[in-house]
């Protein structure tokens, strides 16, 4: 198994790319970036779900504390921000192979055995 190097875009490079694409000054894009992240963080930390149609949703997930398997410590309750990309966004990325939880039409929940169904 080989390792694949995934390129990374820094905050500075990202803001520069957005400024170039939009034709806006870097200072304006930086202000919008900071405002966007501040609003997103505030809304999610306050328990709101932020849904950006065509992109995805951000939400808060609470985790219960637990004892550490090795050692004498424990982990307190904590909160994480989660992101779930929309199906239309995944299609734009070319993500395939999404697992369908729907049963094909005409199929029953449990397969029947013809030897026992008499």
């Amino acid at each position: 198994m080989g390792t694949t190097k995934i390129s990374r875009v820094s905050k500075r490079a990202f803001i520069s790319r957005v400024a170039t694409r939009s034709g806006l000054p870097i200072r304006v894009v930086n202000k919008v970036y900071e405002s966007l992240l501040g609003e997103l963080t505030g809304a999610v930390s306050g328990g709101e779900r932020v849904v950006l149609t065509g992109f995805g949703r951000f939400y808060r997930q609470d985790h219960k504390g637990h004892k550490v398997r090795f050692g004498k410590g424990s982990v307190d309750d904590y909160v994480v921000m989660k992101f779930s990309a929309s199906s239309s966004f995944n299609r734009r990325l070319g993500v395939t192979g999404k697992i369908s939880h729907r049963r094909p039409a005409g199929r029953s929940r449990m397969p029947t055995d013809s030897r026992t169904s008499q």
Side-chain angles (χ1 to χ4, degrees), residues 35-74:
S35 298
L36 179 83
L37 289 184
E39 187 60 32
L40 178 65
T41 303
V44 172
S45 67
E48 294 178 277
R49 238 171 230 242
V50 177
V51 179
L52 303 176
T53 305
F55 182 66
R57 61 190 167 100
F58 297 86
Y59 57 97
R60 171 188 170 125
Q61 190 172 68
D62 298 317
H63 289 271
K64 285 236 177 235
H66 55 87
K67 291 184 180 182
V68 178
R69 179 177 264 179
F70 299 104
K72 297 181 181 179
S74 64

Side-chain angles (χ1 to χ4, degrees), residues 4-113:
T4 304
K5 181 160 170 63
I6 298 173
S7 63
R8 185 176 158 197
V9 179
S10 68
K11 174 184 171 182
R12 178 177 284 178
F14 181 75
I15 288 173
S16 178
R17 289 180 184 186
V18 172
T20 301
R21 181 179 286 220
S22 67
L24 295 170
I26 288 178
R27 285 180 186 239
V28 171
V29 173
N30 189 54
K31 182 74 171 165
V32 170
Y33 173 88
E34 295 296 335
S35 298
L36 179 83
L37 289 184
E39 187 60 32
L40 178 65
T41 303
V44 172
S45 67
E48 294 178 277
R49 238 171 230 242
V50 177
V51 179
L52 303 176
T53 305
F55 182 66
R57 61 190 167 100
F58 297 86
Y59 57 97
R60 171 188 170 125
Q61 190 172 68
D62 298 317
H63 289 271
K64 285 236 177 235
H66 55 87
K67 291 184 180 182
V68 178
R69 179 177 264 179
F70 299 104
K72 297 181 181 179
S74 64
V75 175
D76 294 334
D77 293 352
Y78 61 100
V79 177
V80 295
M81 180 187 291
K82 301 289 277 189
F83 172 74
S84 178
S86 70
S87 57
S88 62
F89 186 74
N90 282 333
R91 281 193 299 274
R92 284 187 302 208
L93 289 176
V95 176
T96 59
K98 183 175 180 181
I99 298 171
S100 174
H101 296 289
R102 297 181 185 154
R103 288 187 298 279
R107 306 253 343 230
S108 65
R109 186 178 295 260
M110 298 285 288
T112 57
D113 186 349

